Amino acid sequence: MRKKIMKLILTCAMVALFAEATLAAEVILTSFGQSPDVMMVKVVLRKIKIKGQLEKLLYAKDLGDEKVLVTVIGGSSKGLGEAGIDKDEEIERVNELITEARKKGIKVLVMHIGGKGRRGKLSDLFIREAVPMADKVVVVKGGDHDGLFSTILEGKNIEMLSAKSVRGTTEPLQKILTEWGVIK
């Protein structure tokens, strides 16, 4: 009898452990441009009780059965250098990643949370690449000051949600993740 109880307890523990791992893998985050902005999005996700897995250099081959890929755009020459890649390699990495996510049925959320201050030639290059491949886009106030996002999205069936600040991304994130079945 004692062995049966121990087996039952171990089985329950394993089920709980794997259920937690499954929940943790529903959302995966990566940076497009290697800026630290992706860390702030992870904090916002944690605030809404979503365990987003952060992989700064996530490659297509690394995708599993996540429901959502969050790509946070912010170009950083220093970040690219520390990662040991250049802008062209970063573009190739993210294009392959998003293409594979689409093949697997993973929703793609593109975020730009740096506002006007995180815009510039490098970030704009990454924005032009990623935004047309998104299912939805979240932009912090000032990020679309020149209409770049709006222009890219014109005529496309991709919703852009805005937020006043990084902290303000909580509401659009909750809305999107509820629509996509991550938040129940």
Side-chain angles (χ1 to χ4, degrees), residues 131-132 144 147-160:
V131 169
D144 195 31
L148 177 61
F149 286 89
S150 300
T151 301
I152 293 169
L153 293 172
E154 193 173 309
K156 292 181 177 47
N157 192 23
I158 302 170
E159 182 181 14
M160 180 171 71

Side-chain angles (χ1 to χ4, degrees), residues 26-124:
E26 287 189 325
V27 176
I28 193 159
L29 300 96
T30 194
S31 174
F32 189 2
Q34 299 305 309
S35 80
D37 293 353
V38 71
M39 294 297 294
M40 289 185 272
V41 173
K42 183 168 174 59
V43 170
V44 174
L45 285 171
R46 196 175 317 136
K47 181 181 173 188
I48 58 174
K49 307 224 183 321
I50 299 295
K51 287 186 175 182
Q53 179 183 338
L54 172 60
E55 297 291 337
K56 290 182 181 180
L57 282 175
L58 180 67
Y59 289 91
K61 66 179 177 50
D62 301 323
L63 286 173
D65 34 343
E66 297 86 7
K67 288 184 179 180
V68 178
L69 167 64
V70 180
T71 305
V72 183
I73 301 172
S76 167
S77 297
K78 180 180 177 184
L80 288 169
E82 287 176 4
I85 58 175
D86 63 24
K87 66 179 174 35
D88 296 324
E89 291 168 314
E90 180 74 336
I91 290 169
E92 182 180 347
R93 177 185 74 86
V94 174
N95 282 335
E96 289 174 1
L97 177 63
I98 293 175
T99 299
E100 183 65 18
R102 289 229 173 271
K103 285 180 190 173
K104 290 182 161 224
I106 299 170
K107 294 288 192 179
V108 178
L109 174 61
V110 171
M111 297 182 70
H112 176 70
I113 63 162
K116 188 176 180 179
R118 187 60 87 179
R119 289 282 308 279
K121 187 177 177 181
L122 190 57
S123 289
D124 289 359

Side-chain angles (χ1 to χ4, degrees), residues 124-163:
D124 289 359
L125 175 67
F126 299 144
I127 289 166
R128 286 186 187 93
E129 290 289 329
V131 169
M133 297 190 293
D135 290 299
K136 292 195 187 274
V137 176
V138 174
V139 180
V140 167
K141 185 179 179 178
D144 195 31
H145 68 281
D146 58 356
L148 177 61
F149 286 89
S150 300
T151 301
I152 293 169
L153 293 172
E154 193 173 309
K156 292 181 177 47
N157 192 23
I158 302 170
E159 182 181 14
M160 180 171 71
L161 294 90
S162 60

